[in-house]
Amino acid sequence: MAQPALQTAAPATPTAPPTPAAMSAATVSAPAAVPSVSAPPAAPAPAAPAATPAAPARPGPPHTPAPGARAVTAGLLAVALLLSAGALAGGALQDFLDRMAGVFALVALSVSVMLGLASVFRDLLTPARRQLAQLLHRAAGLAGVGFLLVHIGVKVAGEEIAASDVLLGSGDLLVDLGSLAAQLFVLALLTGLWRGVFATRRWIRPFRMLHGLAYAGWVAGVVHGLGAGRTPAPWVTACYALCLAASAAALVHRWTRGRRR
């Protein structure tokens, strides 16, 4: 019986240990894996601020509405009554009005001018007091024009002037200054009553020009009161002087305040 052949394995060749150069090359060729770090999530962009709506343009200063038909009719009746007061009064009352109606008119209109100047002093008056000054300004203006109409009616009723002289002039400079003052004050009153018609940015400048003619009328009225007719009493002259001084001081303050701005 044949014996199986025995296969002998070749002895294994011993492997040399890796050199330091080979180890360094292997390290360079196969870098160690670096764990990835995830980036933090980006912060959301801040929302854009909402656009502020533009304020509507102011059409003009606060104003009272224009008088209606009833108010106009009542005003015309009042004018007719005041103009005829001299003829209706008669006697001692007519003499008193003949002497004093013009004085009352000029003093009331002077107060109205001063209050009109003071009503714009924002650095001196609170809004409530400025509103009160405006109300008193209008009341004094109405009273002054009322006395002015009585003054004219008394003079016409006493045949001291003709009715046409009020509008057309008489040729006497001092008397005509009084007629001019009356016309300018009536114009100022009408523009004040119809302020609502002018109270827009387009018409506010014409309003100020027309309403401001009251200053010229006031100066003409003062000259008329001091020079026309009888010589005024000392206390009347003193009242005129006080009105002139107070109005001049208010006007200077208004101009200087406007220049400082």
Side-chain angles (χ1 to χ4, degrees):
M1 183 173 173
Q3 295 292 332
L6 297 177
Q7 296 180 351
T8 58
T13 305
T15 58
T19 61
M23 294 178 61
S24 61
T27 305
V28 172
S29 61
V34 179
S36 60
V37 179
S38 59
T52 304
R58 184 183 177 188
H63 59 84
T64 54
R70 294 183 178 179
V72 172
T73 303
L76 293 176
L77 291 176
V79 169
L81 180 61
L82 291 171
L83 286 173
S84 60
L88 296 176
L93 179 58
Q94 184 176 1
D95 293 339
F96 175 78
L97 293 176
D98 185 37
R99 290 182 288 105
M100 301 305 300
V103 176
F104 293 158
L106 190 55
V107 171
L109 292 171
S110 299
V111 172
S112 179
V113 169
M114 288 183 286
L115 290 172
L117 288 170
S119 64
V120 300
F121 293 164
R122 293 181 174 86
D123 54 341
L124 297 180
L125 301 178
T126 61
R129 291 182 178 179
R130 288 180 56 238
Q131 185 177 9
L132 177 61
Q134 291 174 357
L135 293 175
L136 294 177
H137 161 72
R138 296 168 186 169
L142 285 173
V145 172
F147 281 118
L148 182 60
L149 294 174
V150 172
H151 174 66
I152 294 172
V154 169
K155 296 300 181 183
V156 172
E159 299 182 353
E160 299 182 40
I161 61 171
S164 59
D165 295 344
V166 181
L167 298 176
L168 304 178
S170 63
D172 187 336
L173 177 60
L174 292 175
V175 175
D176 292 344
L177 283 176
S179 300
L180 176 63
Q183 296 169 13
L184 294 179
F185 275 123
V186 170
L187 177 62
L189 175 64
L190 292 178
T191 53
L193 291 175
W194 267 272
R195 182 184 176 92
V197 178
F198 296 93
T200 63
R201 292 302 181 194
R202 180 179 179 183
W203 294 104
I204 192 62
R205 188 177 297 275
F207 166 78
R208 288 174 178 172
M209 293 176 61
L210 293 174
H211 198 68
L213 289 175
Y215 297 133
W218 174 68
V219 174
V222 171
V223 177
H224 165 79
L226 291 174
R230 62 177 61 89
T231 303
W235 69 270
V236 175
T237 305
C239 286
Y240 290 168
L242 287 175
C243 291
L244 279 170
S247 299
L251 191 59
V252 168
H253 178 77
R254 181 173 181 176
W255 280 347
T256 54
R257 184 182 62 89
R259 290 182 179 179
R260 286 197 300 267
R261 289 188 175 183

